[in-house]
Amino acid sequence: MSTTFRRKVLAGVGALSLALTGGVVGLAGAAQAATKTTPVFENCDAPAPQPDGSGTQNYTVTLPDTAKAGDVVPITIDPGASPLVPGFSVTTVNTTKVTLKVGATTQVVTSPPETVSVVAGTPLDPKPFSGTIRIPDGTEGTPVDVKLDLAVTDADLSGSVFTTTCTPAPRPSASLGSVAVEALPKDPVTTRLTPNSGKAGTAVVVDGANFPAGPVTCSALLAGAATGDTGTGTADASGAATCTVTVTKKADAIKIDGSAAPYKSFVFLEEQAGVKNPIDIEVLPGPLALGPKDGQPPVSFPSVTVNGKSQSVVGVFNAAAVQDFRGGTLGWDVTATRTPFLNQTTGHSMAKAQLGIQPSCTVTNPDSPSTCTAGAPGAITDTPMKVASQAAGGDELTGGEFAVGGAGMIQLPPFMFADTYRTVVTFSIA
C-alpha cells in the first residue's frame, strides 16, 4: 500500500502558511515517590513561519523510589515553560508524545488533548499529565535512569495539525530521575494450563515462571475462592514451575500458589443426562492484511514560496487499515519507506528535503483481542522505519482491526527549483 505526496514550490510572492508551536507537554503524577527537577537544553524545530528556537526547559519528574523488573509504574512530568516564544496568538488543542529512555529501552508516553491559548510573546507552560513506564527486564539490583529522548507536540487547529519537535542536547538528556530495581526476582506468575478444560476427575498440569527453586503447590478457584482441589510440584533453578492438580468440582481458574493475578482460566465441563450429539466446527485462519490494496489518495500539503530560508509544512497521513484475522498468537510490524522527492518530467529533485512522521495506531474494532503500539517519531527514508506494531501474545490470542497513520512534516531546503515534486511512501506489514 502506497501513499503519494505532492509538493509545489512557487517562485515569487505566493503562499502564506500558518504555523503553530507548543511547548513540551509533560506528565502528571503519582504519590509516595521521589521528585526531582532537571534543566534540559533543547533544540526545537517549529513549523514555519514560527522560527525555531533553543533553550532550557525545567523538567520536574516524579517516579517511584523502587520497583521490580517488569513492573509498570506511574511517572509524572511537569515540564515548565517552553523554550519557544510564539509569534502570534491562537487557540489550539495540543497532544504530545514524549519519548523517554528508560534504562536501555525507548518508551513513549502520550498526553491527553489539552486546549491551549497561545499568546504572542509568552512561552507556553503546559499542564502536567500522567503516564506509565515499564521497568526493563534484567535490571534486578540496579538503578534505572529515565532520560528525555524526544518531545513532539501536535497542535490541532480546526482539523489541521502542526507539529513541533524538541530534541535535547545532548540526546538523551541527563537523568530526569531513577528507580531502584529490587534484587528480588519478578513476581511469580501462572503461565499455562494443560488442559485448560475438562470434567470432574481431570488432571491439569499447571506451569509458572519466576518462582523460588523448590516445592510449589497449586489450587483450583471458583469466583476467586479456593474449591479445595490442590496439587504439588516443583520449581527449578531458573524459576520455571510445574504443578499437577486434579479437578474434582466446578472451577473457573487455577493458579500456582503465590503467583500474581490474573490466574489462568479453566472451563469446567459438567456431566449432563440424555443423548449426546457432538458438534465440531473448524475455524480456519484468516489473512494478515494492510489496505486498501490500490493505495491511498495523495496527502495534501500546502504550497510554499522560495524565500532563502528552510521551511517546514505539515499534513496528515491517511489511515491505513490493518486486519489480523490469523487466529493465533503472532504479532506484526508496519514499516514505512519512501522514494526521493523529484519531478520525473523535468528531472528536478530535492535531495535535501526530509519527510518525518509522528505515527499513530488505534484499535478500530472494540472486540479486538490485541492492542497496537505506535512507533517513535522519526524520518522516513529508504530504510524501513517501524511505524506501528502488535506484540506476540505468547499463550494468549492476538489479532484484530486497527488504523495506522499519523502526522507528517516535510522539511524543505532554503533553495530549490520551483516545481512540483513527488515522493511515494509505502507502508508494509510483516
Side-chain angles (χ1 to χ4, degrees):
M1 190 277 297
S2 298
T3 300
T4 303
F5 289 84
R6 288 180 178 172
R7 157 75 23 250
K8 187 174 183 182
V9 181
L10 306 179
V13 179
L16 172 65
S17 62
L18 173 65
L20 310 176
T21 183
V24 179
V25 180
L27 314 169
Q32 300 179 352
T35 300
K36 176 185 176 184
T37 299
T38 305
V40 177
F41 185 85
E42 296 173 316
N43 295 311
C44 295
D45 180 14
Q50 168 69 40
D52 298 338
S54 299
T56 298
Q57 195 158 354
N58 291 322
Y59 283 80
T60 301
V61 174
T62 303
L63 286 165
D65 289 320
T66 61
K68 291 183 179 181
D71 281 354
V72 175
V73 300
I75 183 172
T76 300
I77 301 180
D78 184 353
S82 168
L84 288 178
V85 179
F88 46 85
S89 299
V90 69
T91 298
T92 63
V93 178
N94 288 4
T95 304
T96 295
K97 287 187 177 180
V98 176
T99 303
L100 301 170
K101 280 288 187 181
V102 183
T105 66
T106 300
Q107 302 182 34
V108 179
V109 181
T110 303
S111 77
E114 177 190 358
T115 300
V116 176
S117 296
V118 180
V119 178
T122 302
L124 289 182
D125 191 0
K127 297 178 182 178
F129 66 88
S130 298
T132 60
I133 58 174
R134 184 178 183 276
I135 304 301
D137 293 333
T139 57
E140 291 87 347
T142 63
V144 170
D145 284 327
V146 177
K147 303 177 180 180
L148 178 67
D149 187 61
L150 194 68
V152 179
T153 300
D154 290 332
D156 188 318
L157 178 63
S158 301
S160 296
V161 178
F162 302 88
T163 300
T164 298
T165 302
C166 291
T167 305
R171 180 181 183 184
S173 69
S175 176
L176 304 180
S178 64
V179 179
V181 183
E182 296 180 18
L184 300 175
K186 294 180 291 184
D187 287 334
V189 291
T190 303
T191 58
R192 180 180 298 187
L193 306 181
T194 310
N196 62 1
S197 65
K199 59 185 180 181
T202 299
V204 179
V205 177
V206 190
D207 294 320
N210 307 324
F211 286 85
V216 296
T217 58
C218 47
S219 305
L221 307 172
L222 180 62
T227 67
D229 290 335
T230 61
T232 60
T234 59
D236 63 20
S238 70
T242 301
C243 185
T244 302
V245 57
T246 299
V247 177
T248 65
K249 54 184 71 70
K250 187 174 183 180
D252 58 16
I254 298 176
K255 68 172 182 176
I256 298 180
D257 297 333
S259 62
Y263 309 124
K264 304 306 290 185
S265 297
F266 181 81
V267 179
F268 185 78
L269 305 177
E270 298 194 54
E271 287 289 344
Q272 297 179 352
V275 179
K276 294 177 172 56
N277 287 266
I279 299 175
D280 294 332
I281 179 171
E282 184 180 11
V283 178
L284 301 176
L288 173 65
L290 179 68
K293 290 183 178 179
D294 296 332
Q296 303 279 28
V299 176
S300 177
F301 279 79
S303 300
V304 298
T305 301
V306 177
N307 63 4
K309 301 181 184 300
S310 298
Q311 301 184 68
S312 298
V313 290
V314 296
V316 178
F317 285 86
N318 299 302
V322 174
Q323 295 179 324
D324 183 1
F325 299 149
R326 292 173 293 177
T329 63
L330 299 173
W332 49 258
D333 292 329
V334 173
T335 58
T337 57
R338 74 170 178 90
T339 60
F341 281 100
L342 55 85
N343 185 309
Q344 293 183 336
T345 301
T346 63
H348 296 155
S349 66
M350 294 192 302
K352 294 182 179 180
Q354 300 292 320
L355 172 63
I357 183 174
Q358 169 80 32
S360 65
C361 188
T362 58
V363 177
T364 56
N365 184 339
D367 293 326
S368 300
S370 293
T371 59
C372 62
T373 303
I380 302 176
T381 66
D382 56 359
T383 300
M385 171 195 178
K386 184 189 293 187
V387 294
S389 62
Q390 170 193 278
D395 293 327
E396 303 298 328
L397 177 66
T398 60
E401 295 182 272
F402 313 90
V404 176
M409 173 182 284
I410 301 175
Q411 296 176 324
L412 298 166
F415 292 98
M416 71 213 89
F417 281 102
D419 207 339
T420 298
Y421 299 87
R422 168 173 289 186
T423 181
V424 177
V425 174
T426 299
F427 290 119
S428 302
I429 191 167

